[in-house]
Amino acid sequence: MLLENKIAIVTGASRGIGKSIALTLAKQGASLIIHGTNVELLENLADEIRTLGRECIVKAGDVADPHVAHEVVEVAIHTFGRIDILVNNAGMNMRSSTLEMEIKDWQRVLDVNLNGTLYFCKAVLPHMIEQNGGKIVNVSSTTAKTAHKNAAPSYGASKAAVNYLTMHLALEMSPYNIYVNAVCPGPVETDMSSQWTEEYRQSVTGRIPLRKLGKPQNVADSVLFLASDMADFITGETININGGTYMN
């Protein structure tokens, strides 16, 4: 068990990558506070985690509201007394060109992807500093590093900012034994990709050097690595998980 007796918060956990991350951490011994906006899906996931013998608490809310992060953290501290791992997975995308995009949509994407990440980091960091340790993993995107026509500029800009925030916090928090890293997934099989036409799927797959889409589990395994003691000499990194779509 890589995370025996660890306490983890996972945002955006109701489906897809977030759900896979939550289950993977639980299978490796962590108890969880799972966050999202769909209470029914979160409760179903919590039941699944409890069958693994782990404690799991559901806390719903909008990450763009700074009060939500503090509420989730308060529940974690009240219940478990500590927070060892934070996974900032909650995010959203809009698909529009710069000229088509409305300013309110730009702001909403930044509020969720960037500000939500900051709010949760600021809420957990005092507790991690007090306990002299913790792991934060932010879920970013390949689009943070290279332009993508299928993503609105707000999405790439927000994720690029998440990458900088990751590096800045890693440097600032290093004296307190707090590690901060990010994963940058590329094309991954999700509910959205299941709606693609076969022609578009082949087009996307054909641009991936490994000639296959990723799976949520691929991202979850990388998050597990960064959240565990195996990554105890890694901080400030933004790790690509994209089949070679973008290499650096």
Side-chain angles (χ1 to χ4, degrees), residues 18-30:
K19 178 179 179 179
S20 186
I21 290 170
L23 284 171
T24 299
L25 300 188
K27 289 174 182 176
Q28 289 295 324

Side-chain angles (χ1 to χ4, degrees), residues 64-189:
D65 179 353
H67 299 293
V68 168
H70 286 285
E71 291 170 0
V72 172
V73 169
E74 284 177 7
V75 168
I77 295 298
H78 177 74
T79 306
F80 299 110
R82 61 184 293 114
I83 300 168
D84 301 295
I85 300 161
L86 167 65
V87 181
N88 284 305
N89 173 71
M92 66 177 298
N93 190 9
M94 291 186 179
R95 302 184 185 280
S96 60
S97 68
T98 302
L99 294 180
E100 294 171 334
M101 180 183 62
E102 296 187 26
I103 295 302
K104 65 179 178 63
D105 294 335
W106 164 273
Q107 191 61 58
R108 175 61 180 165
V109 173
L110 265 68
D111 280 342
V112 171
N113 295 357
L114 174 59
N115 294 346
T117 298
L118 174 66
Y119 297 152
F120 269 83
C121 287
K122 281 180 67 68
V124 303
L125 281 171
H127 301 284
M128 289 183 172
I129 289 171
E130 184 178 355
Q131 68 197 30
N132 192 39
K135 298 289 182 76
I136 296 176
V137 184
N138 299 321
V139 178
S140 182
S141 170
T142 299
T143 311
K145 300 181 177 183
T146 184
H148 198 297
K149 289 189 294 186
N150 262 355
S154 55
Y155 182 74
S158 67
K159 292 299 189 178
V162 166
N163 284 5
Y164 175 77
L165 178 63
T166 297
M167 293 185 288
H168 187 99
L169 290 178
L171 183 62
E172 194 173 350
M173 292 295 118
S174 58
Y176 307 104
N177 199 35
I178 298 170
Y179 301 71
V180 189
N181 292 288
V183 293
C184 296
V188 174
E189 292 272 14

Side-chain angles (χ1 to χ4, degrees), residues 37-88:
T37 56
N38 189 315
V39 176
E40 181 179 359
L41 291 179
L42 289 173
E43 291 290 358
N44 291 340
L45 174 58
D47 288 341
E48 195 170 347
I49 289 171
R50 290 170 190 138
T51 64
L52 298 170
R54 311 298 169 212
E55 292 187 65
C56 185
I57 296 171
V58 169
K59 187 67 177 173
D62 183 355
V63 293
D65 179 353
H67 299 293
V68 168
H70 286 285
E71 291 170 0
V72 172
V73 169
E74 284 177 7
V75 168
I77 295 298
H78 177 74
T79 306
F80 299 110
R82 61 184 293 114
I83 300 168
D84 301 295
I85 300 161
L86 167 65
V87 181
N88 284 305

